[in-house]
Every structure is written in structure tokens, then in C-alpha cells.
Amino acid sequence: MTNAAHKADHTASPSTLALATELHAIIGTLRRKLRAQAHLGDLNWTQKSVLRHLEKDGPATVTVLARAEGVRPQSMGPHIAALVAAGLVVGEPDPNDGRQTLLSLTPSCREWMQASRAVREDWLYHAILENFSKQEQQTLSDATNLLRRIVDS
């Protein structure tokens, strides 16, 4: 069945709603288990989000980071100050506007984030290896492709 055919079949059913509810719960549990492996210390959700943003999109101003989080720049200030104090973020003058400061991850923060990601991936790798047969691993791989379609929709 083509992707268009999948999109054309919008018949709702109680089983589809139950699937959506169960999938949401399972993904939430998986995220919590992965977070537990990460050892991200005492960072709050906003600080973690700022680090992910800087890692993914590169240097940014407080204003850009605040906009990404849906808060005012003044509200972002304490979060940035804590990240700077922890040695995770550093500020440099913006070459295009000297009144602005571009924030970026420190090299030690990048290493820490990579190590944390490696720990989570290692945990997940072993969980898959130890709990699933080769055939089940293939089923999980197929399901991953389906989940990617949900994310990309």
C-alpha cells in the first residue's frame, strides 16, 4: 500500500484510539527509562532543552533561545546563568551585532552530551539484544520505520 493509500484510509475505530493511547504511554515510559540512564544531573527541563537547541542548531542569542522555549528573554536569563556557571555554555560577542552575545556549548559539555547519549544507546542496545529474538528485532525495526512516518507526518 502506498503512502497516499495509507493517508486516504481515515476510518477511526476504538482500537485505533486504544493504540494511540497505549503508544503514548509506552513512549513516555521509554523516555523516562532513557532519561534515567543519562545522568543529566540537576538540570531542569528548560536547561536541557537549551543544550539540545545549541547542540542541534549551533550558537544562539538569549532572545532566540527564549523564543524557541516560548518564554521571555528575561525568564531565560537565570537558566542561561546556571548553564554558564556550570561550565556548559559560554558566551561570545555576536560578530554581526556587538550588543548581542552568542551562546554556545563548551567542549566539555559536548563531550558530556555525547557520553550521555552513548550510555542511553548502550542501555537500549542491550535491552533489545537481551529481550528480543532476531525475528522480534526485525519486527522492532519495521515498527521503527512506521514510528518515523508518524513523526514525519
Side-chain angles (χ1 to χ4, degrees), residues 11-88:
T11 56
S13 72
S15 63
T16 303
L17 178 57
L19 174 62
T21 300
E22 184 175 8
L23 188 57
H24 181 246
I26 290 169
I27 289 172
T29 301
L30 178 60
R31 289 186 72 210
R32 285 187 294 281
K33 283 188 172 259
L34 287 168
R35 264 188 256 136
Q37 303 300 314
H39 307 293
L40 292 177
D42 295 329
L43 299 180
N44 64 39
W45 188 88
T46 299
Q47 291 164 343
K48 292 174 192 175
S49 183
V50 164
L51 295 179
R52 284 190 298 270
H53 181 92
L54 293 173
E55 181 184 38
K56 180 180 174 249
D57 298 329
T61 64
V62 170
T63 303
V64 168
L65 294 170
R67 192 175 305 122
E69 291 301 308
V71 299
R72 296 175 46 161
Q74 296 86 342
S75 300
M76 183 60 69
H79 298 290
I80 299 302
L83 293 171
V84 169
L88 301 173

Side-chain angles (χ1 to χ4, degrees), residues 87-145:
L88 301 173
V89 172
V90 65
E92 300 286 332
D94 184 336
N96 298 320
D97 181 353
R99 300 168 296 166
Q100 299 266 358
T101 298
L102 278 179
L103 301 162
S104 59
L105 301 178
T106 62
S108 62
C109 180
R110 287 188 185 283
E111 290 173 18
W112 175 65
M113 290 177 75
Q114 289 171 342
S116 175
R117 187 172 292 115
V119 167
R120 292 188 308 262
E121 289 172 1
D122 186 63
W123 174 83
L124 191 54
Y125 166 78
H126 282 96
I128 292 168
L129 190 63
E130 295 166 8
N131 294 292
F132 296 98
S133 68
K134 290 291 184 193
Q135 184 178 355
E136 289 172 322
Q137 289 177 34
Q138 183 57 52
T139 301
L140 194 55
S141 177
D142 295 341
T144 301
N145 291 327

